């Protein structure tokens, strides 16, 4: 669709920003679990009671955003690697971090996690899930989530995935400002801190859910 590398970078920045916003809203919604089973279940019922065309349109847009971000990420990485001169005696000094050097790998791991997560909590086809409904026929989302995070493997997969999400967002947020041209030498330290703070808030917010259930702090 976009023939220039900068065009594809801007698309990556905008789609990345959409997914960051989704992650923030999803965490806020998931935090209703700290109000117990009633809190999470009534939040889920509220979401499922939205008109179906709205739900489906939202899912279609998010799927398109996700697919474009992944495909352009792979394409840009291949372009960058094939364009990087390797035979120079003196390598240009660029400030890199573990997060910035491994964006393609953290991105691909997140892709695997999101596919797993959808099979797990949206399509509910992974083994070992507690799938129950109340007398009114409302699905018990809390029981499903609690059963998943009560095992070491179940909680561990989510904690590990959230560390990967942290690494991807830490660099991704800085990269967004750079691509949009909204940074300069004077603002770079503040942008780096912003990336760190937002990524840390999401990390601690998300891991608090599986860890609270695994350690028995959160009970229905
Ligand atoms: C501890 C971490 C997480 C928990 C406990 C969690 C929980 C859930 C639950 C319970 C659902 C199903 C909601 C329902 O159908 O009622 C869901 C759906 C979903 N989650 Fe998560 N989630 C977590 C992390 C994430 C992350 C990091 C992402 C990606 C950035 C993500 C993306 C999604 C998506 C795309 C859906 C499908 C939304 C839809 O049905 O349209 N989740 N999650």
């Amino acid at each position: 669709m976009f023939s220039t590398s900068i065009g594809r970078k801007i698309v990556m920045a905008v789609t990345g920003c959409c997914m960051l916003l989704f992650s923030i809203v999803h965490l806020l919604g998931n935090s209703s679990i700290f109000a117990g089973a009633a809190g999470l279940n009534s939040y889920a019922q509220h979401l499922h009671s939205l008109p179906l065309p709205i739900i489906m349109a939202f899912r279609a847009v998010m799927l398109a955003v996700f697919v474009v971000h992944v495909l352009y990420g792979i394409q840009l990485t291949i372009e960058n690697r094939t364009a990087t001169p390797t035979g120079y005696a003196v390598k240009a000094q660029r400030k890199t971090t573990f997060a910035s050097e491994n964006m393609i790998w953290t991105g691909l791991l997140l892709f695997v996690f999101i596919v797993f997560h959808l099979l797990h909590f949206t399509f509910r086809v992974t083994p070992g899930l507690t799938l129950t409904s109340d007398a009114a026929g409302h699905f018990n989302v809390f029981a499903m989530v609690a059963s998943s995070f009560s095992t070491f493997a179940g909680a561990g997969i989510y904690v590990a995935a959230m560390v990967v999400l942290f690494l991807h967002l830490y660099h991704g947020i800085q990269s967004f400002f750079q691509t949009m041209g909204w940074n300069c030498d004077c603002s770079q330290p503040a942008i780096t801190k912003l990336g760190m703070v937002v990524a840390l808030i999401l990390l601690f917010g998300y891991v608090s859910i599986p860890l609270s259930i695994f350690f028995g702090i959160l009970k229905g």
Side-chain angles (χ1 to χ4, degrees):
M1 192 171 37
F2 280 84
S3 55
T4 62
S5 164
I6 186 65
R8 285 193 288 269
K9 275 188 145 195
I10 290 174
V11 172
M12 292 252 352
V14 173
T15 50
C17 189
C18 292
M19 288 192 289
L20 171 65
L21 291 178
F22 173 84
S23 306
I24 294 170
V25 173
H26 191 48
L27 175 59
L28 289 174
N30 286 346
S31 303
S32 60
I33 200 169
F34 291 105
L40 184 65
N41 287 340
S42 70
Y43 168 68
Q45 273 164 35
H46 172 71
L47 281 186
H48 289 275
S49 67
L50 291 172
L52 193 59
I54 293 184
I55 297 180
M56 295 317 285
F58 176 77
R59 285 177 168 170
V61 170
M62 284 312 294
L63 181 66
V65 160
F66 177 61
V67 169
V68 167
H69 191 82
V70 172
L71 291 181
Y72 275 9
I74 295 171
Q75 194 180 359
L76 276 170
T77 306
I78 293 170
E79 274 172 22
N80 288 343
R81 295 208 171 163
T82 47
T84 303
T86 50
Y88 292 155
V90 180
K91 251 187 152 182
Q93 290 297 309
R94 266 188 310 157
K95 209 174 162 200
T96 58
T97 59
F98 178 81
S100 70
E101 291 275 284
N102 291 288
M103 284 301 276
I104 184 67
W105 302 116
T106 51
L108 290 175
L109 282 171
L110 284 174
F111 173 81
V112 173
F113 165 73
I114 290 170
V115 171
F116 166 75
H117 184 51
L118 293 178
L119 294 173
H120 191 200
F121 285 160
T122 299
F123 296 108
R124 300 163 190 161
V125 292
T126 54
L129 284 176
T130 300
L131 304 176
T132 51
S133 301
D134 65 15
H138 294 129
F139 182 66
N140 192 340
V141 178
F142 182 89
M144 172 182 71
V145 173
S147 66
S148 303
F149 295 155
S150 61
T151 65
F152 181 79
I157 288 172
Y158 275 75
V159 171
M162 294 309 108
V163 172
V164 175
L165 178 68
F166 162 78
L167 289 170
H168 199 76
L169 289 180
Y170 169 51
H171 179 72
I173 291 168
Q174 296 176 50
S175 193
F176 170 81
F177 283 94
Q178 168 123 32
T179 300
M180 303 309 275
W182 293 343
N183 67 334
C184 60
D185 284 351
C186 56
S187 63
Q188 195 52 49
I191 289 171
T192 306
K193 262 191 209 126
L194 178 75
M196 175 63 94
V197 169
V198 173
L200 273 179
I201 291 173
L202 286 168
L203 171 65
F204 286 120
Y206 273 120
V207 298
S208 67
I209 298 172
L211 291 182
S212 303
I213 291 171
F214 183 72
F215 289 110
I217 299 164
L218 191 58
K219 294 184 185 105

